[in-house]
Amino acid sequence: MVAPLSRVLAVLLVGLGLCVHGADALSGYQINCGAGGERVAGNVTWVPDGPFVRAGNAAAVPSPPGMPPMLASLRYFPDASARKHCYVLPAARKAKYLVRTTYYYGGFDGGEAPPVFDQIIEGTRWSEVDTAADYARGRATYFEAVVRATGRQVSVCLARNAGTAPTSSPFISALEVVPLDDSVYNSTDFSSYALSTIARHSFGHDASVLSHPDAGDQFNRYWEPYSDGSPVVESQGSVAPAALWNKPPEDVFRRGVTASRGDALELQWPPAPLPKASYYLALYFQDNRAPSPLSWRVFDVAVNGQAFFAGLNVSTAGSMLYGAAWPLSGQTKITLTPAPGSPVGPVINAAEVMMVVPLGGRTHPRDVIGMEGLARGFANPPSDWSGDPCLPVGNSWTGVSCSQGALARVTALNLTNFSVGGSISDHIANLTAISSVWLVGNNLTGPIPVMSSLHHLASLHLEDNQVTGPIPPSLGDLPRLQELFVQNNNLQGSIPIGLNRTSITFKYTPGNNLNQQ
């Protein structure tokens, strides 16, 4: 489990055109949380969030001039009993996705400061959401991660932060999930790690330039402007993004920063200090001059005094360097030192830095199938029954207890007096590590499913429902069963012989129409 990460950079300005820009036919999902219908901005169609979330309330937000449309509404989650609130989106199994969450408070709850809460991605606690500083400046805040889908869905969840603000309602303004090509950030082992974006900048722009509205990033990544006063150069050639693994948009190569001939270029980037961790670091370069057989630009690259790459020969075609797990902490300095005799100084056009986040494990796929099947069978399960059933620790589904480990297992289910309707799905047979099932005092109907695979089941309580049909004979064959309570239902038929053994406490009256064989 990774500790919550405070974002270092990437603040989204209200009115920033960057927020609504996307490449033509942008793939994935662009979700306008709390909206009543579709909104089109630039080339992006923002869809309402209803199909992707089961809980929460929609709210309109006052609109300052120039506010992007997906910041005019939000969804908030006032249910304090829920352990998390999840958006679940279709995905391709083992595909890689860029996930971006955007938050603009707007005083929706009548308070003076935004709530503080956690966000969870694919069962791993990703980061803490604290937007107070940005909101005070009239800004929204976004977070971004790259994660691999373990199944056919991707879940993004919000949860109350027990240590900071346990009574405040989490909220969200927009959610984007965009599939990435295999080559993008492919040096990361996404079966064990996710990437959390700290900064992504295009160099050579000052603060008056807010976005690259024509950047055309096919994955809709945000490349924010950055300038430290170094000399700026304009590009004379074009770059083919497809030739570089991360496929940065051609627009980020239009400008760069440089140093005079013979001088090193030192760049304090990112501007804010970094928490001690491992980072994915990618740097992008292009020789801005017209191609010539007599021109060359060679330099060494160092990060915090450590050699990152020696003898980089940058051409007009563009170059990319990366470090897959580079240790960083505090202020970071990138130094480009020209080779002796180089006719021009070094140049750099853009950079990305992303924290390498260890995944917190996942629930066994068999148990995920079982719990999702139960959720579909119930008419009104608890509102937090979506996302990972067990993880992160402390944010399992209501009534669900789990083991810990790389593959968590569901060990107990207790929804006593939760007013759950519907029926008990046959998928309960997938929960092969479960030892206790208590569904007492609900409105369940239909038959008791076959549970012959639940060899660890010791306690099954179904009393005070409206369950019908016979008792499956296989219940009497469960080796560890010690309690079976089914009174006050509408069961019929014969009592299985196996339930007459003295090791089982079996209660079936009052109610029911059962007889001994």
Side-chain angles (χ1 to χ4, degrees), residues 118-150:
D118 292 340
Q119 53 185 355
I120 298 163
I121 187 167
E122 285 291 89
T124 292
R125 187 168 283 105
W126 167 17
S127 58
E128 181 182 88
V129 178
D130 184 352
T131 65
D134 293 339
Y135 180 67
R137 296 178 175 89
R139 301 173 178 176
T141 306
Y142 73 82
F143 296 78
E144 190 183 273
V146 178
V147 66
R148 192 180 77 172
T150 56

Side-chain angles (χ1 to χ4, degrees), residues 424-512:
I424 306 172
S425 169
D426 292 339
H427 285 91
I428 196 172
N430 283 65
L431 307 179
T432 54
I434 202 164
S435 62
S436 175
V437 175
W438 287 53
L439 298 173
V440 182
N442 290 294
N443 302 309
L444 295 170
T445 60
I448 300 174
V450 174
M451 304 183 196
S452 56
S453 59
L454 306 188
H455 300 299
H456 294 276
L457 186 63
S459 179
L460 177 59
H461 283 249
L462 303 177
E463 64 265 34
D464 303 326
N465 280 284
Q466 302 169 38
V467 180
T468 59
I471 297 178
S474 57
L475 284 179
D477 300 328
L478 294 178
R480 300 188 183 184
L481 189 64
Q482 300 175 10
E483 293 181 343
L484 176 59
F485 288 21
V486 294
Q487 64 269 31
N488 293 318
N489 279 288
N490 299 312
L491 297 169
Q492 298 178 347
S494 299
I495 296 173
I497 296 176
L499 295 178
N500 291 324
R501 64 182 190 263
T502 58
S503 61
I504 296 179
T505 302
F506 176 41
K507 293 185 179 182
Y508 61 93
T509 60
N512 301 312

Side-chain angles (χ1 to χ4, degrees), residues 123-275:
T124 292
R125 187 168 283 105
W126 167 17
S127 58
E128 181 182 88
V129 178
D130 184 352
T131 65
D134 293 339
Y135 180 67
R137 296 178 175 89
R139 301 173 178 176
T141 306
Y142 73 82
F143 296 78
E144 190 183 273
V146 178
V147 66
R148 192 180 77 172
T150 56
R152 299 193 181 278
Q153 297 176 329
V154 168
S155 66
V156 182
C157 311
L158 309 178
R160 280 172 165 74
N161 185 312
T164 306
T167 61
S168 60
S169 297
F171 72 94
I172 184 170
S173 302
L175 171 63
E176 300 164 77
V177 177
V178 179
L180 297 175
D181 288 354
D182 288 342
S183 68
V184 179
Y185 313 125
N186 66 354
S187 59
T188 301
D189 177 9
F190 285 102
S191 65
S192 300
Y193 301 94
L195 296 178
S196 182
T197 303
I198 302 300
R200 180 183 295 114
H201 282 100
S202 179
F203 299 135
H205 297 277
D206 60 31
S208 65
V209 181
L210 300 180
S211 66
H212 299 288
D214 300 316
D217 190 309
Q218 69 183 97
F219 309 118
N220 205 27
R221 290 169 294 189
Y222 295 165
W223 298 80
E224 298 186 17
Y226 182 84
S227 178
D228 68 346
S230 299
V232 176
V233 293
E234 299 277 352
S235 174
Q236 302 299 315
S238 61
V239 171
L244 304 176
W245 285 356
N246 290 347
K247 301 184 178 180
E250 185 175 3
D251 190 65
V252 303
F253 294 95
R254 300 296 185 196
R255 286 187 175 187
V257 293
T258 189
S260 300
R261 176 180 178 178
D263 292 341
L265 173 62
E266 291 189 350
L267 201 64
Q268 298 287 341
W269 183 89
L274 297 174

